[in-house]
Amino acid sequence: MNFDDNLKKRAQLFEASLQKFCAAQDASIPPRLREAMNYSREAGGKRLRPVLCMAGAELFGTAGEAVFPLALALEMVHTASLIHDDLPCMDNDSLRRGKPTNHKVFGETLALLAGDSLFLYAFDVALSGLSDAGFEWKRTERALALFARALGPAGICGGQVLDTDLQSQSHDRDFVKHIASMKTMVLIRAAVGSGALLAGAGDEDLSSVMSYGEKAGLAFQISDDILDCIGTQEKMGKTLGKDRSQHKRTFVSAYGLEGARAMLESLTLEACAHLERFGEKAEFLRSLALELENRSN
């Protein structure tokens, strides 16, 4: 099976499980809130974070399906972050994944609460699901601790502050790396790392996997910044050029288009180098890093 088919198979496996979950979720959730949560959660996307979680587990001999509760939780918090990111008080965007943003459909109040609910519900889903799947508590604890740290003030919430709060920003050219590390990279690193932790990865192996996630996560943000300049709205499914119009820090604005491309190539090579100790077992993760470097959406 080639890489594209392998990636598609994993994403479809996650998608099928997601649809079952959405259809069977807690009936006590108010219908409109559930509708708003599902609207963004089922809107598609690359499903990169759940796929990385599943691949991290598979690298150490655990089936990807087994870690679905945590893969789902990762996609839930990522979706929540996008709902909040699109709000008028943040990036004020009207298009996400080719559809009107959540607040454009449900209003700002419900969109805010849908995002909050997804953030919190993710922990309920992960804890109960991993317990039912029979994972050792110590592994679950370590995986969820990594997950939680990626979300808080030293994770994506802090990254959003650096991206939006003028008083928190620096004129240093490398400040864009700091933003990307907290806003984008940290959840990608946690995705592959938490999957590896659930599968019982030792400290040295985990360090290599986390380093891979760090480099791949930064590379992903650079490619996103590049596509914001040269991509098409049809393929990207979101409004392009907003970073420039809002004078936001990006890798392209900091280093130029060619400089960003060179950095992207370097980080991709570094990501792959961190997988060398795993040999052929890491071929999917290696190919995924190369795919992210050359993506068009």
Side-chain angles (χ1 to χ4, degrees):
M1 184 183 298
N2 63 34
F3 171 76
D4 288 339
D5 290 340
N6 202 341
L7 178 60
K8 185 177 180 180
K9 178 182 177 181
R10 292 166 190 261
Q12 287 177 338
L13 177 67
F14 174 79
E15 205 69 41
S17 297
L18 173 64
Q19 295 304 321
K20 290 180 183 177
F21 173 82
C22 289
Q25 64 187 313
D26 193 343
S28 66
I29 299 173
R32 280 277 290 167
L33 177 58
R34 185 167 61 247
E35 184 183 357
M37 292 164 65
N38 286 346
Y39 174 80
S40 294
R41 188 164 47 192
E42 296 180 283
K46 290 173 280 295
R47 307 305 193 198
L48 173 63
R49 291 147 193 86
V51 165
L52 278 167
C53 180
M54 295 161 70
E58 290 169 355
L59 185 61
F60 298 97
T62 295
E65 299 95 311
V67 300
F68 171 73
L70 186 53
L72 174 58
L74 283 155
E75 187 65 12
M76 290 170 74
V77 299
H78 174 57
T79 299
S81 73
L82 298 181
I83 293 174
H84 286 174
D85 195 44
D86 291 333
L87 286 169
C89 63
M90 297 286 188
D91 278 355
N92 192 24
D93 217 330
S94 58
L95 188 68
R96 174 68 68 176
R97 293 172 171 170
K99 300 171 64 176
T101 47
N102 198 289
H103 70 274
K104 288 293 183 181
V105 177
F106 297 97
E108 291 180 41
T109 300
L110 196 50
L112 178 64
L113 291 169
D116 288 346
S117 297
L118 285 167
F119 268 119
L120 296 170
Y121 197 21
F123 285 91
D124 184 5
V125 167
L127 278 168
S128 59
L130 293 174
S131 176
D132 291 345
F135 281 96
E136 296 176 8
W137 169 243
K138 189 62 177 179
R139 293 185 184 184
T140 299
E141 180 185 33
R142 292 185 68 193
L144 288 182
L146 176 61
F147 176 50
R149 285 195 298 272
L151 308 183
I156 60 176
C157 288
Q160 187 72 338
V161 169
L162 297 183
D163 192 36
T164 59
D165 181 44
L166 292 177
Q167 294 185 52
S168 299
Q169 295 176 355
S170 164
H171 295 294
D172 183 359
R173 184 169 72 162
D174 287 341
F175 182 67
V176 68
K177 293 181 183 177
H178 194 29
I179 298 174
S181 293
M182 296 180 72
K183 188 174 179 181
T184 303
M185 178 278 287
V186 69
L187 193 56
I188 289 176
R189 183 179 63 186
V192 66
S194 59
L197 277 169
L198 285 176
D203 290 343
E204 290 187 7
D205 285 341
L206 179 64
S207 178
S208 294
V209 168
M210 294 282 281
S211 294
Y212 162 84
E214 179 178 333
K215 303 303 180 184
L218 286 173
F220 180 83
Q221 183 58 59
I222 295 173
S223 67
D224 208 59
D225 288 355
I226 291 173
L227 288 172
D228 188 66
C229 294
I230 66 172
T232 65
Q233 184 165 299
E234 180 181 7
K235 285 189 175 183
M236 294 294 287
K238 61 182 181 180
T239 307
L240 299 183
K242 284 185 67 67
D243 288 338
R244 291 194 301 275
S245 65
Q246 295 177 350
H247 306 291
K248 284 196 171 185
R249 302 291 183 86
T250 70
F251 282 92
V252 174
S253 67
Y255 301 99
L257 186 57
E258 292 309 311
R261 282 173 168 159
M263 191 177 296
L264 171 59
E265 181 180 2
S266 176
L267 284 166
T268 302
L269 290 173
E270 290 180 52
C272 292
H274 286 296
L275 299 174
E276 288 180 359
R277 65 187 293 132
F278 305 114
E280 293 182 2
K281 292 190 298 181
E283 184 55 37
F284 176 78
L285 287 172
R286 191 176 294 109
S287 297
L288 181 58
L290 295 171
E291 177 73 12
L292 293 177
E293 179 186 5
N294 298 297
R295 70 190 182 103
S296 60
N297 58 29

